[in-house]
Every structure is written in C-alpha cells, then in structure tokens.
Amino acid sequence: MTQPASRSPSAAKRRDLTTGPIGSTLILFALPVLGSNALQSLNGSANAIWVSHALGEVALAATANANQIFFLMLGAVFGVSMAANIMIGQAIGAKDIAAARRVVGSCTTFFLALSLAVGAAGYLLTPAILSAMGTPAEARAEAITYLRVIFGAMPFFYFFTFLMMAQRGTGDSRTPFLFSALSVLLDVILNPLLILGVGPLPRMEIAGSATSTLIAQTVTLGAMLVFLYRRGSILVLRPSEWGLLKPDLVVVRALLLKGVPMGFQMIVVSVAAATMMGLVNRYGAHTSAAYGAATQLWTYVQMPAMALSAAVSAMVAQNVGAGRMDRVEKVARVGCLCAIVGAGVPIALLYVLDPWVLRAFLPGDSPSLPIAIHINSMVLWGFVPFGVAFIFSGVVRATGAVWPPLLAIIIALWVVRIPLANLLEPTLGADAIWLSFPIGSCTAVLLAGGYYLWGGWRKGRILPTTSPRGEAPDTGLSPPAGAKDVEPATAP
C-alpha cells in the first residue's frame, strides 16, 4: 500500500513551487543559490591569497591560467546541467514521478561518461592546452601540475554540479547550499595545510592547492549521495531501479539539443570577456589593474540576478509542467522587480562607497584607483537592465526555448558591445570600452524582453512527461516497476 503524501519521506523534502505566494517563495528559493555563488567566489579568492603569499606570483599566474580552462569546462557543462534541471522540474510539476526518474537515470549515466571522458582527455592534453593559451614559460611547469590534478577532479565536479542543479529542479535550493558550504569549508582548511605540508601532511606546494579542491569535492559529493539516499530522494536510484541507468534516447537528445546551446552561451560570454580584456590591455598596466579591481565588484553585483534567474527557471519549469501558465507570468514580473532591486541597491551603495571599497583591491595611493572609480561610474548602472535580461532568459529557457536567449547574448556582445568599443575607441579612447558595457546590456534586455512578450516560448516543452510505450502518466497512485517510495500526487 502506498504511503499518504504527507508522510512520504521523498515528498516531504520536495518543494511544490506551483502553489503558494510567488514573491516570498522566489526570494527564499534564490537566497541559498545566491549564498552558493558567493561562497564559490570567496573560496576562489581565499585560494588565490594562499597561493600568492605562500608560493609567489609565478604560482599565482600558473593557477590563473589553469583556472581559465577549469571555468571553461564548468561553463560548458552548465548548460547540460540546466537542461536536466528543467526536465526534472517539469516532470515534478506534472506529478509525473516516472518521467522524473527516467531523466535522473539517463542523466546519471550521461554525466558519468562525459566527466570521465573530459577528465582523461584533459589530463593527456594539458601541456597542449596551456601552450595554446600562451601560458608564460616560467609558470608552465606549475600550471601543468595544477591543471592535471584539477582534471582528475573533473568527474566529481561534473556530477556534483548535476546533483546541485537537479535538486533545484525538485524545488530544493537549501540542500545544495549546505553542501556547497561544506565543500568550500574543506577546501579553505586543506589549502594551506597541503600547500605548506603542515604536521604529518606532505608539502605539495601548488599541487596541494588543487588536491585540496579534489578532496573537498570528493568528500562532499559522497556525503551528499549518502544524505539523498537516506532521505529517499528520487535523485539517487535504488538497486531495483538501476535499469533506469540505461540511457533513454529521448532524454539524451533533449539534454544535447537544449543543453548545448545553454552551455555555448557561457562560452560566448567567456570569450567576449577575454576579448574585452585584450582591448583594456592596450592602455597599460594601470588601466588593466583598475579594470581587474572593478570586475571584482561586478562579480558580486551580478550575483543576485544570477541567483534569481536560477530560481525563476526552477519555478517556471514546475509551473509549466503543472500547466500553470498564469503563475509563470507572475513569476516573471516578480523576478524582474526583484532583479531591479537586487542589482539597484548594491549599485547605489557602490556609487557612494566606491573609493573606499576599491581600496580592498588597490592601494590608496595607486594611480589605478581613480581609473577604477571612473570605470565604475560609467559601467555599474548597466547591470540593472542586464539583470532583468537574465530573468527573461531564465523564464523562456525553462520551457525549452534555448536558442533565442543565446542569439540575444550573441547580438548584445558580438554585434553591439565589442564592435561599438572598437568603432568609438579612436574618438573616445578607453571610455569607448566602458560605454559599450551598458549599451550592450540595454540591447540584451530589449531583445530578451521582446522575445518574452511576443515569442512562441509559451507553447514549448523540453520533454514529454508521459511514461514510455504509451502508458498513462505516473500519478503516484501506483508506483512504477521496482520503485518503493513513490508518493501519490498532491492536488494542484
């Protein structure tokens, strides 16, 4: 006999995002996502501090070069993880637990195979990759050592990313935050111990920094799997359900067709950022340092919109699955308002406190400091429309409409921002670069908003939620073969 819904351990931990107040639900869901993003950024800053102080600038240059590859690999898998998140969310919203389990099984196999392939290929190709990047000769040996350990950790990073996104698809953003905090804590503690060889630990120098990340990620992933298994999560298959690990071609096809464009969007942004850095470097070390300090602040300014976009996608996916398009429109409106406030408030504070905040990255007497203040005076406000564009893109992506957001960001960056900077540079100098940022952001919000208002995304679905071979959708009244913890659907 099936347990009542109120007593099912799995149901108790899944959050229904298709009912209840939208504003508070969205904010409460977004806050842990924001916390996870902030922790990852702080972790990277802490690791850089340890490497630079303990091993010197050459080691820091080595990690900086290696991390460019690492972030590119994570960005590439982000899109596929987001596609899995959306498919799981739509299935949960439709109360189709069988479809959700099929997605989990196929995605588990897909991510394991992908991560192992990337890890092995990356380990072998590390020297060639760093040569292609033009890594400085004096930093090359240390960069190879560091990056090879990171590629060894790639299977754990990829599967951890998948589980984090999948949990958000089920309506749970708190658990990913807690395990992200555990991973960061372990990494921060182990970094100096393994770099310096404290106590019985070996002195590993730059390899110690990468190894601390590997250990932290592996331990946290294991702890998360145990936790999810013990609480009856649908994200961890029982032995009787291992047949679901056989890839479902419909799921894999959706992962690739929808995930690859979203991943490519991250690559487009990364390459555009590198291109803009090249333009900035023309103006010398002081301007480059000022730009680097300013971008440190931009990272945190963008975090609320990024967290809200992830929350909006999860909410919209469940409501699309439940057929609640009325709530989808409300989620979009509330999300845009929250993005405006979330970006506007810190930007307003920075305009007042900028000279003092920037001194965390630049000495008070540095000639770069006034340049950084000038850069922020021209650029910061543009993150408000850019944040709203994030929300529109998060809404339409949750239905499976992945190409319009990609085209919007390509046009904003490669048709408007970068060409505009080059076109105006002879007249305005470096100001042409700074001016191109808000103009590109306004272009992005106009394109994303236009598609939201008039595009055909409302009819989209990323994956049918009916069971295979013509069976009726799983309503929870009877569990699928081999499942023991499927709960009945609750009323919408």
Side-chain angles (χ1 to χ4, degrees):
M1 177 182 257
T2 310
Q3 286 182 310
S6 61
R7 303 185 60 166
S8 167
S10 180
K13 299 298 182 181
R14 287 206 303 271
R15 189 170 188 178
D16 187 353
L17 304 178
T18 65
T19 59
I22 289 175
S24 59
T25 300
L26 180 64
I27 293 172
L28 289 175
F29 192 95
L31 284 175
V33 181
L34 175 61
S36 297
N37 293 343
L39 283 173
Q40 293 299 328
S41 294
L42 292 171
N43 184 36
S45 300
N47 290 352
I49 290 171
W50 275 113
V51 169
S52 63
H53 282 75
L55 303 175
E57 292 183 356
V58 172
L60 183 61
T63 61
N65 275 266
N67 282 334
Q68 290 293 323
I69 303 299
F70 172 59
F71 292 135
L72 184 62
M73 292 297 98
L74 284 184
V77 80
F78 169 84
V80 185
S81 300
M82 177 62 76
N85 171 6
I86 293 169
M87 284 191 284
I88 291 171
Q90 288 188 5
I92 294 294
K95 304 297 188 291
D96 191 347
I97 307 303
R101 290 184 184 280
R102 293 204 315 278
V103 172
V104 169
S106 294
C107 288
T108 297
T109 302
F110 180 87
F111 276 94
L112 285 175
L114 177 65
S115 61
L116 290 171
V118 170
Y123 185 90
L124 296 174
L125 297 174
T126 289
I129 293 171
L130 292 172
S131 294
M133 288 182 61
T135 302
E138 61 271 25
R140 178 179 169 82
E142 291 185 305
I144 290 174
T145 300
Y146 182 88
L147 188 55
R148 277 185 162 163
V149 177
I150 289 296
F151 271 118
M154 200 61 72
F156 305 100
F157 273 112
Y158 272 23
F159 200 66
F160 184 78
T161 301
F162 160 61
L163 283 179
M164 293 263 287
M165 300 292 281
Q167 286 175 83
R168 292 170 187 167
T170 67
D172 179 11
S173 62
R174 181 173 175 270
T175 300
F177 165 71
L178 294 176
F179 281 98
S180 181
L182 173 62
S183 176
V184 168
L185 178 64
L186 290 174
D187 199 356
V188 169
I189 292 173
L190 289 172
N191 227 282
L193 300 181
L194 293 174
I195 289 174
L196 301 173
V198 176
L201 298 174
R203 180 181 175 88
M204 302 179 68
E205 298 188 342
I206 196 168
S209 180
T211 302
S212 71
T213 302
L214 170 60
I215 294 173
Q217 199 71 63
T218 304
V219 171
T220 304
L221 176 60
M224 181 189 289
L225 288 170
V226 171
F227 177 80
L228 293 175
Y229 184 88
R230 289 175 64 87
R231 79 173 190 178
S233 171
I234 66 168
L235 300 179
V236 180
L237 301 177
R238 275 52 180 176
S240 60
E241 300 167 331
W242 284 356
L244 294 174
L245 293 172
K246 182 180 179 181
D248 183 320
L249 294 182
V250 175
V251 173
V252 174
R253 181 174 180 272
L255 273 178
L256 295 175
L257 291 181
K258 305 299 184 180
V260 169
M262 287 190 278
F264 187 66
Q265 180 172 328
M266 302 295 291
I267 295 173
V268 166
V269 172
S270 297
V271 175
T275 303
M276 295 302 287
M277 188 74 235
L279 296 178
V280 173
N281 285 338
R282 297 176 184 175
Y283 292 89
H286 292 312
T287 301
S288 295
Y291 180 74
T295 56
Q296 288 287 331
L297 300 182
W298 300 352
T299 299
Y300 293 98
V301 167
Q302 293 177 84
M303 279 185 184
M306 295 175 68
L308 285 165
S309 178
V312 162
S313 288
M315 289 189 70
V316 170
Q318 285 202 18
N319 281 281
V320 166
R324 296 294 307 274
M325 295 304 295
D326 58 317
R327 282 178 61 86
V328 169
E329 303 282 353
K330 294 177 182 177
V331 169
R333 290 196 296 269
V334 173
C336 288
L337 178 61
C338 290
I340 292 171
V341 175
V345 170
I347 287 172
L349 291 174
L350 283 176
Y351 274 126
V352 176
L353 303 174
D354 212 16
W356 295 274
V357 176
L358 282 168
R359 288 179 187 177
F361 307 100
L362 297 168
D365 59 351
S366 170
S368 297
L369 183 59
I371 300 174
I373 295 171
H374 176 67
I375 293 172
N376 277 343
S377 70
M378 297 187 69
V379 172
L380 277 175
W381 69 270
F383 288 107
V384 175
F386 199 70
V388 175
F390 260 91
I391 301 303
F392 286 138
S393 295
V395 171
V396 302
R397 272 200 306 259
T399 66
V402 295
W403 286 104
L406 173 60
L407 293 175
I409 202 68
I410 289 175
I411 293 171
L413 295 181
W414 290 97
V415 178
V416 176
R417 178 186 290 179
I418 293 174
L420 184 67
N422 282 291
L423 180 65
L424 298 180
E425 194 177 10
T427 304
L428 300 178
D431 280 354
I433 302 173
W434 321 138
L435 187 62
S436 71
F437 277 92
I439 293 177
S441 297
C442 290
T443 303
V445 76
L446 288 174
L447 293 172
Y451 184 75
Y452 170 80
L453 291 174
W454 300 297
W457 60 272
R458 291 169 179 82
K459 299 178 181 178
R461 297 294 184 274
I462 198 169
L463 184 71
T465 54
T466 54
S467 298
R469 294 182 302 277
E471 298 169 8
D474 174 41
T475 62
L477 297 177
S478 59
K484 297 181 180 180
D485 63 344
V486 178
E487 63 281 352
T490 55

